[in-house]
Amino acid sequence: MTRRSTFTDQSVTYGAIGATLDPDLLRYPPSGFRPAEDSVKLGSGRERFDRAAEELMTWGVQKGAGFEVAEVAPGTGAQYTGIAYDADGSPLTEQPTARAEQRFAADGTPFVSAGMTAVLRRRERFRTRVVPVLVVYVVDEPGRIGFAYGTTGESPEHGEEAFVLEHRDDDSVWLTIRSALEPRGGIHRLLAPLVRRRRRELTRAELRALHPAYT
């Protein structure tokens, strides 16, 4: 199932929450956002999937791409399952809330969970990229696992990025990264071509992060 947090403790800096779940993201992105989707084959077999899944869900993509993952705060476990309505079509005053059980890696490290927050820092040439994020949903299905986070503060871009691992029917294991991002306002919009180029460089690093040839 796919789960989204309730965002009761902290707000993201964009309105299109869950945009990376939309199958038509690339054709019909939210207004003003740049959509992207990239995939890489990591190998094959259940063992490869299980190992990559544990790395992915303990911030392995971010660390492998050169980020320091700091100020990690656990999620509440509360999940957003959609707005519930009464018989007259009005939203219920008390919305039902599902909760997901926290999962852990073999060494006891907690898996990324909905509502978790962190600050990602990465040195890039003459500056350090700082991206505060909130995990907006977690995917946890047989043969499919991952999560997405959205920006919560000042950063070069605002929006959402998703990292999903799949063990496909042909036994191959794939990592897919989807994003819906917009440049920050002011001078950052003038620097949009540079921001886009650095985004592509970052995505390539993220795609390599879990690949056996680089780990």
Side-chain angles (χ1 to χ4, degrees), residues 150-172:
T151 53
T152 64
E154 295 298 331
S155 61
E157 302 163 297
H158 290 172
E160 189 172 295
E161 193 169 9
F163 310 86
V164 177
L165 188 72
E166 293 180 281
H167 188 191
R168 298 182 178 176
D169 291 341
D170 64 358
D171 205 32
S172 62

Side-chain angles (χ1 to χ4, degrees), residues 11-14 131-134 149-153 155 157-160 181:
S11 297
V12 291
T13 56
Y14 63 103
V131 186
V133 298
L134 167 69
Y149 53 58
T151 53
T152 64
S155 61
E157 302 163 297
H158 290 172
E160 189 172 295
L181 298 163

Side-chain angles (χ1 to χ4, degrees), residues 5 8 21 23-24 28 31 44 61 76 82 101 109 113 124-125 134-135 144 149 167 179 183 191 202-203 206 208 211:
S5 77
T8 55
L21 288 168
D24 290 326
Y28 305 110
S31 178
S44 61
V61 167
T76 62
E101 183 177 348
T109 302
S113 60
E124 295 182 346
R125 294 185 177 89
L134 167 69
V135 177
R144 191 167 178 262
Y149 53 58
H167 188 191
S179 62
L191 299 175
L202 175 56
T203 299
E206 290 173 334
R208 292 194 301 265
H211 199 286

Side-chain angles (χ1 to χ4, degrees), residues 85-157:
Y85 298 87
D86 61 21
D88 297 325
S90 300
L92 295 174
T93 303
E94 295 293 331
Q95 292 289 321
T97 301
R99 291 187 175 273
E101 183 177 348
Q102 177 68 62
R103 294 179 59 187
F104 297 87
D107 64 359
T109 302
F111 274 16
V112 171
S113 60
M116 181 175 282
T117 60
V119 176
L120 310 180
R121 298 189 180 97
R122 183 177 190 258
R123 183 65 183 171
E124 295 182 346
R125 294 185 177 89
F126 306 111
R127 68 182 182 88
T128 299
R129 176 187 287 260
V130 180
V131 186
V133 298
L134 167 69
V135 177
V136 295
Y137 67 80
V138 169
V139 176
D140 191 358
E141 303 168 354
R144 191 167 178 262
I145 192 170
F147 65 94
Y149 53 58
T151 53
T152 64
E154 295 298 331
S155 61
E157 302 163 297

